């Protein structure tokens, strides 16, 4: 049964996606095959059968037969600027990669170079059905560059938040960083399509007082905040030696763990930290490709979710993974859990799709991630008709395991198709890519990088 439009005003819609396998991700995990989704303005106005919704007076109808209609993907942790260095740093130890390669690259990036790199990455991400992102931006953290990066994300049509890098590795004194942070947030306040959030670089390597002040600012302004925590195997011991407490326990004691904290990684948690993260409903970004590329470790996914933590999937700056592809992330999210436990019964495609969509939206705090009336119309249409789809698995497994980025036919954010017919609708991909290629060439030629060590793979 359709959730019926009940009066004349509801007998119209702006966009009707009709005939596809509609994977709602609602509480009952309903799949309507065939189904239809009606969109009015920036929201979903009805979900039902093609026959029921076919009675609507639709300004535009898209025939989705042979495709899946799913909530758009959310990248829960990113460094959008890093794609400028795609191909560099493969196989380099993370303890060398970050201080000797990525930090110098970030600190030398000019504003136009950051904007070019971020725009290129967002174009790649909407082509894989991504509709929202939480970025951790530390390449040019002056107010103008921060705002220009947010504008670049919005220009292509995506929503989300730019976490502006704060802390010891930033060139500006810490005493001035929070004032600049406040000004940047005020320019794009809570409720903006792309917000600005405080983002201390890493819990492990920043002063507790500075982290707490950053969070207080976020709370005063009504926005979230973002950071890295317990990403490398020695991080908890380093923190314990300096502060006499494990990092997640300190976050809990300081009242910073939830519900507005958004943490990248949290791989190395002991049992008590898992419990505290769970009971605080901490939002944690699981970045399986990045964890694999750097050989970091395996997140305690099942235990964290059972305890109550909210887990989304993130690209973590796809320079390390060579590609922004949420289908690859979904499959790897399951596989590395099974490898680590040597247990093929763990997790599965349903959980992978949940993390990439519904849980990602919960993580980011946006009213999306579920195809139901009233929700934001952030949607991807994925072809299930390629040679790799014969015989076709069930719709959830077909999307989470079998599909790939090139199967995405349409990406919709807030009711607007920002990618369809192989092209972004708001920007010219060829222009964006040419600009990004030229600008990254300038950046890399200016930097004195040891390319022998960094291995352009
Ligand atoms: Zn990161």
């Amino acid at each position: 049964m359709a959730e019926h439009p009940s009066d004349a005003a509801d007998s119209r819609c702006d966009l009707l996606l009709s005939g596809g396998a509609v994977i709602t991700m609602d509480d009952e995990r309903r799949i309507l095959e065939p189904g239809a989704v009606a969109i009015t303005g920036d929201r979903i106005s009805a979900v039902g059968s093609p026959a029921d919704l076919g009675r609507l007076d639709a300004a535009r109808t898209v025939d989705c037969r042979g495709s899946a209609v799913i909530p758009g993907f959310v990248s829960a942790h990113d460094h959008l600027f890093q794609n400028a260095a795609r191909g560099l740093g493969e196989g380099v130890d993370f303890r060398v990669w970050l201080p000797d390669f990525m930090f110098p690259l970030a600190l030398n990036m000019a504003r136009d170079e950051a904007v070019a790199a971020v725009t290129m990455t967002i174009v790649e991400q909407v082509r894989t059905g991504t509709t929202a992102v939480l970025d951790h931006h530390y390449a040019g953290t002056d107010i103008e560059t921060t705002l220009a990066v947010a504008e670049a994300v919005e220009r292509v049509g995506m929503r989300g938040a730019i976490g502006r890098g704060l802390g010891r590795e930033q060139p500006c004194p810490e005493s001035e960083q929070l004032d600049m942070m406040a000004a940047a947030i005020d320019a794009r306040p809570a409720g903006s399509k792309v917000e600005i959030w405080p983002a201390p670089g890493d819990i492990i390597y920043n002063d507790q007082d500075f982290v707490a002040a950053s969070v207080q600012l976020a709370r005063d302004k009504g926005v979230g905040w973002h950071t890295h925590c317990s990403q490398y195997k020695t991080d908890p011991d380093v923190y314990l030696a300096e502060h006499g407490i494990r990092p997640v326990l300190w976050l809990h004691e300081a009242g910073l763990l939830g519900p507005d904290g958004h943490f990248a990684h949290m791989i190395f948690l002991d049992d008590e930290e898992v419990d505290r993260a769970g009971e605080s409903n901490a939002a944690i970004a699981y970045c399986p490709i990045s964890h694999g590329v750097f050989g970091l470790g395996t997140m305690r996914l099942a235990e964290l979710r059972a305890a109550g933590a909210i887990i989304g999937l993130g690209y973590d700056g796809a320079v390390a993974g060579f590609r922004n592809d949420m289908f690859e992330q979904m499959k790897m999210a399951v596989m590395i859990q099974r490898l680590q436990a040597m247990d093929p019964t763990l997790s599965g495609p349903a959980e992978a799709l949940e993390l990439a969509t519904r849980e990602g939206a919960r993580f980011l705090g946006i009213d999306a991630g579920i195809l139901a009336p009233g929700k934001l119309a952030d949607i991807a249409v994925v072809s299930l008709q390629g040679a790799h789809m014969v015989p076709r698995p069930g719709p959830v497994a077909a999307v989470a395991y079998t599909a790939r980025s090139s199967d995405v036919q349409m990406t919709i954010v807030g009711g607007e198709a920002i990618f369809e017919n192989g092209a972004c609708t708001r920007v010219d991909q060829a222009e964006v890519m040419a600009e990004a290629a030229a600008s990254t060439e300038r950046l890399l030629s200016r930097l004195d990088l040891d390319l022998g060590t960094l291995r352009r793979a």
Side-chain angles (χ1 to χ4, degrees):
M1 282 293 288
E3 284 152 49
H4 272 294
S6 54
D7 56 39
D10 291 336
S11 66
R12 289 179 287 107
C13 68
D14 296 324
L15 178 59
L16 182 63
L17 306 172
S18 186
V22 174
I23 304 175
T24 63
M25 301 307 291
D26 66 8
D27 290 348
E28 293 79 40
R29 299 296 189 272
R30 286 184 309 156
I31 297 171
L32 309 176
E33 189 174 18
V37 178
I39 297 162
T40 304
D42 66 349
R43 301 269 168 175
I44 294 168
S45 49
V47 175
S49 72
D52 280 340
L53 270 55
R55 288 194 278 271
L56 292 169
D57 177 13
R60 181 185 177 199
T61 299
V62 175
D63 183 355
C64 293
R65 285 176 295 176
S67 302
V69 180
I70 63 171
F73 299 130
V74 176
S75 173
H77 173 62
D78 231 312
H79 304 284
L80 297 168
F81 74 90
Q82 290 186 358
N83 267 26
R86 178 155 32 210
L88 288 175
E90 154 59 14
V92 175
D93 190 299
F94 185 64
R95 290 163 301 178
V96 173
W97 188 91
L98 194 61
D100 295 349
F101 168 44
M102 193 44 69
F103 282 162
L105 181 134
L107 292 173
N108 281 284
M109 216 168 199
R111 185 176 308 151
D112 62 328
E113 292 163 350
V115 167
V118 167
T119 308
M120 162 183 71
T121 310
I122 294 294
V123 165
E124 189 186 351
Q125 291 191 357
V126 301
R127 298 180 67 90
T128 184
T130 310
T131 51
V133 63
L134 174 54
D135 191 34
H136 192 293
H137 178 78
Y138 57 86
T141 53
D142 59 282
I143 297 172
E144 293 75 14
T145 303
T146 304
L147 295 176
V149 164
E151 176 59 34
V153 172
E154 192 165 323
R155 179 175 159 233
V156 186
M158 203 187 280
R159 77 170 80 247
I162 304 298
R164 172 177 170 269
L166 294 168
R168 289 178 190 168
E169 66 271 14
Q170 289 302 318
C172 166
E174 287 185 10
S175 57
E176 295 168 27
Q177 290 183 24
L178 293 182
D179 287 343
M180 290 170 64
M181 191 72 243
I185 296 171
D186 287 344
R188 277 184 168 269
S192 301
K193 190 170 180 183
V194 179
E195 297 181 348
I196 309 286
W197 292 6
D202 196 313
I203 292 300
I204 310 302
Y205 303 102
N206 274 287
D207 298 330
Q208 292 179 337
D209 289 348
F210 183 73
V211 171
S214 304
V215 177
Q216 190 54 52
L217 176 63
R219 290 177 177 171
D220 291 345
K221 300 288 186 187
V223 296
W225 68 284
H226 189 29
T227 191
H228 296 77
C229 186
S230 298
Q231 172 177 15
Y232 196 73
K233 60 190 172 191
T234 54
D235 281 355
D237 291 336
V238 167
Y239 199 82
L240 191 59
E242 189 171 344
H243 300 285
I245 187 169
R246 289 179 67 92
V248 177
L249 297 185
W250 173 71
L251 286 164
H252 181 255
E253 280 190 4
L256 307 180
L257 204 43
D260 50 352
H262 297 70
F263 304 93
H265 311 304
M266 283 200 171
I267 300 171
F268 298 98
L269 273 54
D270 69 10
D271 291 348
E272 193 181 357
E273 289 179 306
V274 168
D275 289 344
R276 297 292 92 80
E279 75 192 32
S280 306
N281 302 128
I284 306 173
Y286 174 28
C287 309
I289 302 283
S290 166
H291 295 177
V293 163
F294 288 114
L296 294 175
T298 308
M299 173 194 266
R300 299 175 68 176
L301 177 67
E303 292 152 300
L304 279 165
R305 293 196 77 201
I310 301 165
I311 314 282
L313 291 183
Y315 298 113
D316 193 16
V319 57
F322 282 61
R323 194 165 83 213
N324 290 275
D325 184 338
M326 194 54 84
F327 299 91
E328 191 174 66
Q329 298 285 349
M330 284 193 286
K331 189 182 275 185
M332 195 63 83
V334 175
M335 299 312 156
I336 65 175
Q337 294 293 324
R338 291 180 176 178
L339 269 172
Q340 210 251 353
M342 294 187 283
D343 180 357
T345 69
L346 276 183
S347 193
E351 180 170 44
L353 188 59
E354 202 169 278
L355 299 181
T357 59
R358 180 186 162 108
E359 293 304 294
R362 264 183 89 205
F363 170 98
L364 194 54
I366 55 175
D367 191 22
I370 296 171
L371 302 182
K375 293 287 178 186
L376 284 168
D378 291 4
I379 298 171
V381 180
V382 184
S383 169
L384 303 180
Q385 291 193 304
H388 52 296
M389 291 286 180
V390 182
R392 203 205 79 185
V396 170
V399 170
Y401 278 5
T402 318
R404 53 194 179 203
S405 285
S406 51
D407 294 325
V408 173
Q409 298 168 302
M410 197 173 196
T411 304
I412 298 167
V413 176
E416 177 187 355
I418 61 168
F419 170 76
E420 62 177 321
N421 301 321
C424 290
T425 59
R426 288 171 159 226
V427 293
D428 182 323
Q429 178 178 321
E431 262 175 37
V432 168
M433 294 302 158
E435 206 174 315
S439 115
T440 57
E441 208 49 54
R442 281 199 304 277
L443 168 67
L444 295 176
S445 64
R446 209 168 60 239
L447 290 178
D448 186 23
L449 294 173
D450 180 351
L451 295 182
T453 307
L454 289 171
R455 303 189 213 175
R456 187 183 272 283

